[in-house]
Amino acid sequence: MGAEHSPTLIGSVQRAFRLLEAMSAHQNGAPAKQLARETGLPLATTYHLLRTLVHDGYVRKLDDGGFILGDRLETLQTSGQAQSLLSRIRPTLAALRDELSSAAYLTFYEEGEIRVVEIVDGPRAPRVDLWVGFEDAGHATALGKSVLRELDEESRKDYLSRHALPDLTPRTITDTPELIRQLDSSPLAPAVTDMEEYSLGTVCVAVPVYSGSTLGSLGVSLRAGRRARVEETRARLEEVRARLLPTASRVTRGLSLTI
C-alpha cells in the first residue's frame, strides 16, 4: 500500500542535485572523478550530467578541468531572495487591499526603469488593466510619479530624457515642466495621485517605499466617482493617504530585513 502512495521521483534530477551539492563544497572547483566518488555516481553518468549542466549554465568548467557552480544558479538565488522578501510583505498588501477595497501595487526603480513587482487584487478589488507598460507610462501613473518625485534631480532628468510623455488619456500630463511642477507641489505629499491620467475611470494614489537603498512605490487604484463632489473626492484621497503611509512604513521595514 505504501508504494502505491509514494511520490513519483525522477532519478536523473536527484542525481543532478547531488552533483550540485557536492560541487558547492569545493570553492575552487572539483574534477569529475572526485565528484563521482563523493556522490557515489558512475563516472559516465557524472560526465553526462555535468555536460548538460554546463550547457544550460548551471555549472561552469574551469580551464584546469574542475567544475564550479554557474551563473544561472546565482540568478536563481537572487530571484529566490526577492521572492522570499515579497512573500513577507504580501499579507500587508492583502490587508491594505481588503481595508480599502482596492487593488494594491508595488514597484521598484531598477536599472533606470520603474517596474511593477507585485499586484494584490481580488474579485471585489480588480486590478487596473495595464494596457501600456510602465516603461512608457511612468509619467501617467501615481506609482511612477511617486518614484519620480523621490528621485534626485539628476536621476529624474536622466529618466525624463529617456522617456517620452505620451498622452494616454485626455488627462495625461505631457509637458515635462508641468509634470515636474505638479510632482514638487503635490497637496498630498509625500503621496501623489493619478487622476484618470493612465486609465479613464480610475484614480490612483501612491507613496514611496524602499527595499534597502532601492526606491519604489506602493499604491492603490480606485474607481473614479463621476458624480462625486470635489470635497468628497478630496476626503477620500486623504483617507487613502492616511492608510498608505503607515502601510508603506511596514513594507519598507519588511523589505529591509536581511534573510
Side-chain angles (χ1 to χ4, degrees):
M1 291 293 291
E4 294 179 3
H5 297 284
S6 62
T8 301
L9 304 179
I10 308 301
S12 59
V13 175
Q14 291 180 309
R15 291 189 286 271
F17 279 121
R18 282 162 57 191
L19 268 181
L20 294 174
E21 290 170 353
M23 205 177 303
S24 68
H26 300 278
Q27 185 175 2
N28 297 318
K33 289 183 179 179
Q34 181 177 355
L35 293 172
R37 185 169 59 252
E38 292 179 358
T39 57
L41 297 175
L43 185 57
T45 299
T46 300
Y47 274 120
H48 285 311
L49 290 172
L50 288 172
R51 190 178 302 115
T52 301
L53 292 169
V54 168
H55 178 271
D56 288 348
Y58 293 104
V59 168
R60 185 156 62 92
K61 186 176 183 180
L62 302 176
D63 293 338
D64 63 5
F67 293 88
I68 62 174
L69 300 178
D71 293 338
R72 265 190 104 170
L73 281 178
E74 294 182 10
T75 301
L76 288 177
Q77 181 182 22
T78 300
S79 299
Q81 290 174 338
Q83 289 176 344
S84 179
L85 280 175
L86 287 175
S87 70
R88 292 180 180 179
I89 56 95
R90 197 168 286 117
T92 301
L93 301 183
L96 180 68
R97 173 203 62 195
D98 295 341
E99 184 174 0
L100 296 176
S101 297
S102 307
Y105 309 79
L106 182 68
T107 75
F108 288 128
Y109 186 64
E110 300 172 319
E111 299 177 349
E113 297 295 342
I114 303 166
R115 298 190 172 110
V116 179
V117 298
E118 186 63 285
I119 302 176
V120 178
D121 58 357
R124 294 192 297 175
R127 67 181 66 187
V128 174
D129 177 18
L130 300 179
W131 67 286
V132 176
F134 264 57
E135 293 82 359
D136 300 312
H139 66 294
T141 66
L143 292 158
K145 292 198 291 182
S146 175
V147 169
L148 292 175
R149 184 182 184 279
E150 298 300 316
L151 288 176
D152 60 60
E153 184 176 356
E154 182 178 350
S155 298
R156 186 194 289 176
K157 283 183 178 178
D158 172 69
Y159 179 90
L160 293 174
S161 70
R162 294 183 288 105
H163 296 79
L165 308 182
D167 54 337
L168 306 183
T169 78
R171 297 174 179 267
T172 306
I173 302 169
T174 58
D175 178 68
T176 298
E178 176 60 17
L179 175 64
I180 294 175
R181 186 192 69 78
Q182 290 199 21
L183 291 176
D184 292 338
S185 61
S186 172
L188 294 174
V192 295
T193 60
D194 146 25
M195 305 300 289
E196 300 184 80
E197 296 159 44
Y198 178 80
S199 176
L200 291 177
T202 301
V203 170
C204 299
V205 186
V207 296
V209 295
Y210 286 87
S211 177
S213 60
T214 302
L215 171 64
S217 58
L218 170 69
V220 295
S221 57
L222 314 162
R223 290 196 182 99
R226 289 298 181 188
R227 298 182 180 179
R229 294 180 301 176
V230 174
E231 295 82 1
E232 293 174 344
T233 300
R234 184 181 296 116
R236 176 59 169 158
L237 295 178
E238 290 279 3
E239 175 192 356
V240 172
R241 176 187 183 276
R243 298 309 311 143
L244 276 175
L245 289 174
T247 302
S249 295
R250 289 195 293 274
V251 168
T252 293
R253 286 197 299 271
L255 292 172
S256 297
L257 293 174
T258 56
I259 297 177

